[in-house]
Amino acid sequence: MIQALRGMKDILPSDNERFIYIIETASRIAKRYGYDYIETPLLEETSLFKRSVGESSDIVGKEMYQFIDKGGHDVCLRPEGTAGVVRAFIQNKLDKKGGIHRFYYHGPMFRYERPQKGRLREFHQFGCESFGEPSVFEDFTMILMIKDIFDTLGIGYTIKINSLGCPECMPGYREKLIEHLHDIRDGLCEDCQRRIETNPIRVLDCKVDSCQALLKVSPVIVENLCESCDSDFNTLIGLMKSHKLPFELDPKLVRGLDYYTRTAFEFVSSEIGAQSAIAGGGRYNRLVEFLGGKPTPAVGFALGIERIMELVEMPEKGRQGLYLGFMEPEAIGTILELAHRKRQSETVHTEYGKKSLKAHLKAADRLGAKRIGIIGEDEMKAGEIWIKDLETKEEKRIAIDQFD
Ligand code: HAM
């Protein structure tokens, strides 16, 4: 039997309400914050991700679904949504237009990771990207929007924040860090030893305990920020405090993608195990320029829909819709006509075969219908239908043309 690929999941009807509910809730809230829907392709040139997410990141280095297409182009399935949106922003000359542009999107992302609970190879994100607004108030407003989404979905979280500095302060910090990493090199894991050269900042969030023990005394980014980054970071902290958001400063939060500058944040849940990040994002003021556009400040985030599905309690739905059936085969024409009329306003299940009343009632119950309508011999002669409300147990016979 052919099975879905490892780390890829079907979203069956039993789950899809939760899936759609998350997307609809997040979309509704994003629209209120001024975001418009954008759709970008699942497949992009590999170089887009190399240049944005970063060649030395795990995502690009180890996890891409990359292949040469029939035209000889090096392409890959998108591992994340930001790069494609930035490419679309530049390609459609919105960078030249100036002003503020805000987009939201949702869809599948692909990363060839080691599958485990909460970590898939195909997963879905809902994300937002805001272009043109350099103010840290935009970063804060985005965090508030995510708070609104999670509060509406009834999900608990804490927020981790950090600053990743800018081209003015980061090179100096990097030097300091590299120096320190060389001092402790022998005690670091193989990955970290390699990263000293390729991506020293990533060493900070290594998950190996012995590395973390050595890193306890390593230089801290937020103690090495330039005046402007420091001022923004303090403004953000002040806003988080005055709005009583549940947050902590995490000097080791460096994110797995290389495009961030200044604000970086993650929303984490304590209820879903090791893969606890339910949303992540930050500012990326250099990326538009880096991909060939006019320098444009930007900030964004994405949330992981599958991880959130684990946490959402769906409102109790109750019985819904109408079940229509007959006990006289000649009634099929009337049932089809009636079903079509009723479908203009509600969900209708029709049974095309003759069945006993008991069998119809059982079928309606299994489908979770609120009402059942049956045409038996007597009803057919009288041009009527028997209706029962399966919640209130009320029943009646009415003329078919008066059934509304
Ligand atoms: P990210 O932190 O890589 O950021 O992913 C965002 C969220 O996607 C994570 O917090 C997590 O909930 C979910 N996620 C990531 N990988 C997996 C996986 N393998 N299985 C299930 N869920 C996963 C980004 O992708 C950035 N593009 C966010 C962003 C937008 N930054 C600026 N704008």
Side-chain angles (χ1 to χ4, degrees), residues 80 82 111 113 118 120 123 125 129 255 259-260 277 300-301 304:
E80 60 103 52
T82 310
R111 296 182 192 174
E113 295 192 81
L120 294 157
F123 60 98
Q125 284 185 346
E129 313 295 345
R255 312 272 300 127
Y259 47 63
Y260 294 108
F301 83 97

Side-chain angles (χ1 to χ4, degrees), residues 56-346:
S56 59
S57 69
D58 282 353
I59 296 179
V60 169
K62 303 182 188 164
E63 300 168 2
M64 299 252 271
Y65 278 89
Q66 182 183 356
F67 59 96
I68 306 296
D69 75 7
K70 289 186 167 55
H73 307 287
D74 188 349
V75 297
C76 73
L77 286 169
R78 62 183 185 191
E80 60 103 52
T82 310
V85 175
V86 174
R87 194 242 342 109
F89 177 75
I90 299 167
Q91 187 176 339
N92 292 286
K93 301 192 170 52
L94 297 172
D95 55 333
K96 307 254 162 31
K97 222 170 165 181
I100 314 279
H101 302 266
R102 296 190 180 91
F103 304 103
Y104 74 91
Y105 53 90
H106 48 82
M109 309 292 160
F110 302 84
R111 296 182 192 174
Y112 198 83
E113 295 192 81
R114 210 151 52 81
Q116 64 177 78
K117 186 176 176 314
R119 194 203 276 155
L120 294 157
R121 287 181 174 170
E122 182 188 24
F123 60 98
H124 295 76
Q125 284 185 346
F126 173 92
C128 286
E129 313 295 345
S130 164
F131 296 95
E133 179 53 82
S135 167
V136 69
F137 293 117
E138 183 75 352
D139 311 20
F140 175 68
T141 303
M142 182 163 277
I143 290 172
L144 266 189
M145 172 168 69
I146 306 167
K147 167 196 155 54
D148 281 358
I149 294 171
F150 288 148
D151 287 353
T152 308
L153 293 171
I155 292 176
Y157 51 82
T158 44
I159 309 167
K160 295 180 172 182
I161 59 167
N162 195 16
S163 174
L164 297 178
C166 70
E168 197 179 312
C169 46
M170 267 320 244
Y173 171 75
R174 239 176 103 102
E175 286 309 311
K176 262 195 199 174
L177 180 64
I178 291 174
E179 205 173 296
H180 174 75
L181 294 177
H182 276 300
D183 290 345
I184 57 170
R185 184 187 185 104
D186 292 345
L188 294 173
C189 71
E190 243 176 66
D191 264 353
C192 284
Q193 290 195 3
R194 188 173 35 80
R195 283 189 184 128
I196 297 177
E197 260 57 68
T198 58
N199 197 348
I201 311 293
R202 277 308 304 278
V203 173
L204 294 176
D205 83 340
C206 177
K207 302 291 177 282
V208 177
D209 287 345
S210 51
C211 290
Q212 277 310 326
L214 285 171
L215 289 165
K216 274 206 177 92
V217 289
S218 58
V220 174
I221 307 175
V222 292
E223 285 167 10
N224 290 276
L225 295 175
C226 61
E227 219 178 294
S228 162
C229 288
D230 192 48
S231 153
D232 272 5
F233 193 52
N234 286 325
T235 303
L236 181 65
I237 293 172
L239 288 164
M240 303 282 281
K241 280 185 184 158
S242 65
H243 283 74
K244 300 195 169 46
L245 296 183
F247 79 101
E248 56 189 64
L249 303 183
D250 182 353
K252 303 267 158 70
L253 178 75
V254 297
R255 312 272 300 127
L257 311 98
D258 291 350
Y259 47 63
Y260 294 108
T261 51
R262 299 191 180 222
T263 308
F265 58 82
E266 249 171 39
F267 281 62
V268 293
S269 161
S270 55
E271 290 165 45
I272 48 169
Q275 301 305 311
S276 60
I278 50 176
R283 189 160 270 286
Y284 52 95
N285 287 347
R286 306 266 299 170
L287 186 56
V288 175
E289 183 184 3
F290 205 63
L291 290 176
K294 192 173 152 201
T296 308
V299 56
F301 83 97
L303 53 81
I305 296 179
E306 282 83 356
R307 290 188 191 169
I308 292 160
M309 281 170 79
E310 299 267 316
L311 296 164
V312 173
E313 290 281 347
M314 290 297 287
E316 198 50 59
K317 187 165 64 125
R319 294 186 162 276
Q320 269 180 351
L322 170 70
Y323 172 100
L324 290 177
F326 56 82
M327 281 138 67
E328 282 302 312
E330 299 90 271
I332 180 70
T334 313
I335 289 289
L336 289 177
E337 233 177 86
L338 181 60
H340 184 241
R341 173 152 66 85
K342 298 299 286 178
R343 281 193 177 117
Q344 309 311 308
S345 57
E346 65 178 309

Side-chain angles (χ1 to χ4, degrees), residues 17 314-322 346-347 349 364-371 389-392:
E17 270 187 37
M314 290 297 287
E316 198 50 59
K317 187 165 64 125
R319 294 186 162 276
Q320 269 180 351
L322 170 70
E346 65 178 309
T347 303
H349 310 278
D365 188 49
R366 219 177 18 237
L367 286 162
K370 175 160 166 31
R371 291 188 301 169
D389 188 311
L390 296 170
E391 250 166 26
T392 64

